[in-house]
Amino acid sequence: MAISADIKLERLSGFSLDVSLTIPNNGITGLYGPSGSGKSTLLRLLAGLERGGPSDSVVIRSDEDTWQNESQFTPAEQRGVGFVFQRQQLFPHLDVQENLQFAIRRQHTQDSTDAGQVYEWLNIAPLLRKQVDQLSGGEAQRVAIARVLLNGARCILFDEPLGSIDRSARSKILPYLERLHRNLQIPMIYVSHSLDEITYLADTLYVLDAGRVTLNGSMLELSASLELNAAEGETASAVIACRVARHDQQYGLCELDFEGAPVFVNAQLYAPGEQVRVRIIARDVSIATTKPASTSILNIIEARIAAIELDTGPAALVRLERKGQCFLARITRKSLDTLNLVIGQTVFAQIKSIALLTDIIP
């Protein structure tokens, strides 16, 4: 189910939303931006939980169906859309299994996802006999997501689903969301103001600011954009796609192939040939103009300088490109000048640490 929307909306508060977007029929589309940028309003309009005022223009289509235009409106319960809120919406008087059975009885379609598969993907089986008030924040969100899937949703909308749980719980639930991403062939729209979450999950990205789309495109392309990372400071990062080449059993490392260059990570859960995403934090990348001969850093990648963004402070953000894929280096302006770095120059990036951005649940 592909979704398209063209929305022009104004509120009495002075806030306006003016966006056009297209959601592909599978994969995760990220909506990213600061609080108040219009992400949640847009999501609620897509779900049918809001419809705008008489002077607004809201046109939303799904495949051949029109959900909303100036003359018609399809209610939320008829859109086949599942909505995962920031705070879980479970029935407190029912245990986990009863919450899920309620969803099964009210399925949107007859070809809903098998319950056993949902339990496996989200590790629900150990929770089935628990009462809702016995669940941790992360467990409750997993159950809430399972209930949406068992309800037969043809599209899932996530409104900052990890916003109300702590960082530790967030890191535990993200791999489950990635697992759904790889197993479900339905569109998912994920709203967050956390760039870490968005880069972990999204295939396509829309960046919103003050009710307008400022950037949109492939996550892999935009993750290394200077526009997206300029305000991230020490947390600036990019995501690259690699292929598992082999396992180094002697040293417990996994060798990845990044456009012909070897990259080593501390993970051996994947078979040779599998595709994985890797996150590179810009502050962990240094630049040399000649290939280092003796260094403890394993990951040295030959790349070309594609762009340079000068910080207002002492730092500079350098965009490095290797055969069409890009990553970032955050270095001092003094180093930039000392090395005489310029756009188009071939350099060697030394990467101190690399994080694998894939499902780490065995």
Side-chain angles (χ1 to χ4, degrees):
M1 176 171 66
I3 301 169
S4 64
D6 191 350
I7 298 168
K8 293 179 175 60
L9 172 149
E10 293 191 9
R11 294 274 169 80
L12 293 175
S13 63
F15 172 79
S16 65
L17 186 64
D18 187 351
V19 299
S20 294
L21 74 165
T22 300
I23 308 299
N25 59 12
N26 61 64
I28 295 181
T29 298
L31 300 182
Y32 171 74
S35 297
S37 60
K39 306 183 302 296
S40 293
T41 299
L42 174 56
L43 206 66
R44 291 177 65 84
L45 287 164
L46 294 174
L49 299 176
E50 292 188 25
R51 59 187 302 172
S55 62
D56 297 326
S57 174
V58 180
V59 179
I60 303 173
R61 295 187 176 89
S62 165
D63 293 332
E64 302 302 319
D65 299 325
T66 297
W67 282 351
Q68 184 174 349
N69 61 21
E70 60 185 11
S71 61
Q72 66 186 91
F73 178 80
T74 302
E77 63 272 15
Q78 296 178 23
R79 298 189 183 192
V81 169
F83 203 110
V84 180
F85 297 87
Q86 184 175 129
R87 297 188 180 277
Q88 49 84 11
Q89 304 286 313
L90 303 177
F91 296 117
H93 62 290
L94 303 179
D95 66 18
V96 168
Q97 188 167 38
E98 290 168 337
N99 266 279
L100 298 178
Q101 288 173 339
F102 179 85
I104 292 172
R105 290 195 299 270
R106 295 172 59 87
Q107 287 177 344
H108 291 294
T109 63
Q110 295 303 310
D111 58 348
S112 301
T113 306
D114 177 72
Q117 283 279 269
V118 172
Y119 293 172
E120 178 186 344
W121 292 336
L122 294 167
N123 195 23
I124 294 295
L127 309 177
L128 290 175
R129 301 317 309 173
K130 283 190 175 185
Q131 297 298 314
V132 169
D133 61 4
Q134 296 176 315
L135 300 174
S136 68
E139 289 172 339
Q141 279 298 50
R142 279 159 46 203
V143 174
I145 294 166
R147 192 173 67 172
V148 165
L149 291 174
L150 294 173
N151 196 226
R154 298 164 55 216
C155 171
I156 304 178
L157 311 182
F158 296 89
D159 190 8
E160 302 200 41
L162 309 185
S164 63
I165 59 180
D166 60 39
R167 189 174 187 84
S168 174
R170 191 177 306 145
S171 66
K172 292 175 182 176
I173 195 173
L174 276 171
Y176 291 109
L177 294 176
E178 168 60 21
R179 180 176 289 181
L180 292 182
H181 175 210
R182 290 189 285 111
N183 285 282
L184 291 174
Q185 296 301 308
I186 62 174
M188 291 179 271
I189 306 173
Y190 193 94
V191 163
S192 179
H193 60 264
S194 166
L195 191 55
D196 283 351
E197 290 178 29
I198 291 292
T199 53
Y200 187 103
L201 294 168
D203 303 296
T204 304
L205 178 65
Y206 283 86
V207 179
L208 273 69
D209 190 18
R212 306 293 188 274
V213 174
T214 57
L215 286 172
N216 77 280
S218 159
M219 184 70 248
L220 285 176
E221 293 176 4
L222 291 183
S223 73
S225 71
L226 299 182
E227 296 93 336
L228 188 61
N229 283 279
E232 296 298 317
E234 290 292 314
T235 63
S237 63
V239 176
I240 59 173
C242 299
R243 180 183 59 82
V244 177
R246 68 182 185 91
H247 297 299
D248 187 333
Q249 302 295 345
Q250 181 178 357
Y251 296 106
L253 295 171
C254 176
E255 181 182 331
L256 308 178
D257 181 290
F258 171 50
E259 303 294 352
V263 170
F264 296 92
V265 295
N266 294 317
Q268 297 201 38
L269 298 177
Y270 302 93
E274 284 194 76
Q275 297 292 320
V276 294
R277 284 195 201 183
V278 167
R279 181 191 186 204
I280 299 176
I281 300 175
R283 68 170 182 267
D284 288 340
V285 181
S286 61
I287 294 176
T289 54
T290 58
K291 188 173 183 177
S294 300
T295 175
S296 63
I297 296 176
L298 292 177
N299 297 309
I300 301 173
I301 298 173
E302 183 176 344
R304 181 184 67 87
I305 296 178
I308 299 172
E309 175 78 21
L310 297 180
D311 203 330
T312 54
L317 201 58
V318 181
R319 189 171 192 247
L320 300 167
E321 184 267 338
R322 180 178 175 84
K323 297 182 180 179
Q325 292 204 62
C326 296
F327 58 101
L328 301 170
R330 192 169 192 268
I331 62 175
T332 64
R333 296 177 71 166
K334 180 176 175 62
S335 295
L336 185 74
D337 291 341
T338 300
L339 295 174
N340 293 316
L341 299 180
V342 295
I343 294 172
Q345 182 178 357
T346 297
V347 295
F348 295 88
Q350 300 183 97
I351 308 173
K352 287 181 282 187
S353 64
I354 290 179
L356 204 62
L357 284 183
T358 53
D359 186 350
I360 58 172
I361 304 299

